[in-house]
Structure formats: C-alpha cells, structure tokens
Amino acid sequence: MSVKASVSITDQQDEFARQLVADGQYASLSAVVQRGLELVRSEDARERAELAALQAFFAERAEGSFVTAEDGRRRTE
C-alpha cells in the first residue's frame, strides 16, 4: 500500500535526488525518498540491536565476579 505525504527538502537535497533519477539510479523522486527512509529504518534497527547487546554485556558483567585493583595489577604483570 502507498501513502501520499508531503515533505520539505533543501535545494541541495532536491538537486541530488533529481540527479539520481536523471542518472537512472532511481525511477522517481519518490523512489529516492523511499530508499532514504529504508536506510534510516535499517540504521535505527542496527543501533537498537547494538544497544541491546551492550546492555546485555554490561548486565552480565555486573553480575560477574570482580577483582581488586591490586589483583588486577598482579594479573596484568
């Protein structure tokens, strides 16, 4: 299903998008905008997954055993 929406873009963005269409990389300005939104969605999903992985890592580490600073220095040496 398609939904019509009105968006505002800068002159530079318009020029770039129109050039992509003129070069044959995209069929229309709508296709350029759709691809851009898909890239934003994909980036957002990746960032959320990375954040969840980091939160899980730190939660696991917080529940693990800790060593004293002195013991850490000895282990490093």
Side-chain angles (χ1 to χ4, degrees):
M1 178 173 86
S2 235
V3 175
K4 288 195 180 257
S6 175
V7 297
S8 297
I9 58 176
T10 66
D11 290 338
Q12 293 84 6
Q13 291 168 332
D14 181 62
E15 183 180 330
F16 179 68
R18 288 181 188 281
Q19 190 60 53
L20 291 173
V21 173
D23 291 345
Q25 292 182 268
Y26 293 89
S28 65
L29 291 175
S30 289
V32 175
V33 173
Q34 289 168 354
R35 177 66 176 140
L37 286 171
E38 183 56 30
L39 288 171
V40 170
R41 187 206 59 75
S42 177
E43 182 180 279
D44 182 66
R46 181 185 46 80
E47 288 174 358
R48 287 174 187 260
E50 288 174 357
L51 179 59
L54 282 171
Q55 289 172 330
F57 170 77
F58 286 121
E60 182 181 325
R61 292 296 298 141
E63 293 174 9
S65 61
F66 289 89
V67 296
T68 65
E70 172 91 16
D71 193 25
R73 281 193 217 68
R74 272 199 306 270
R75 291 181 183 191
T76 302
E77 292 172 356

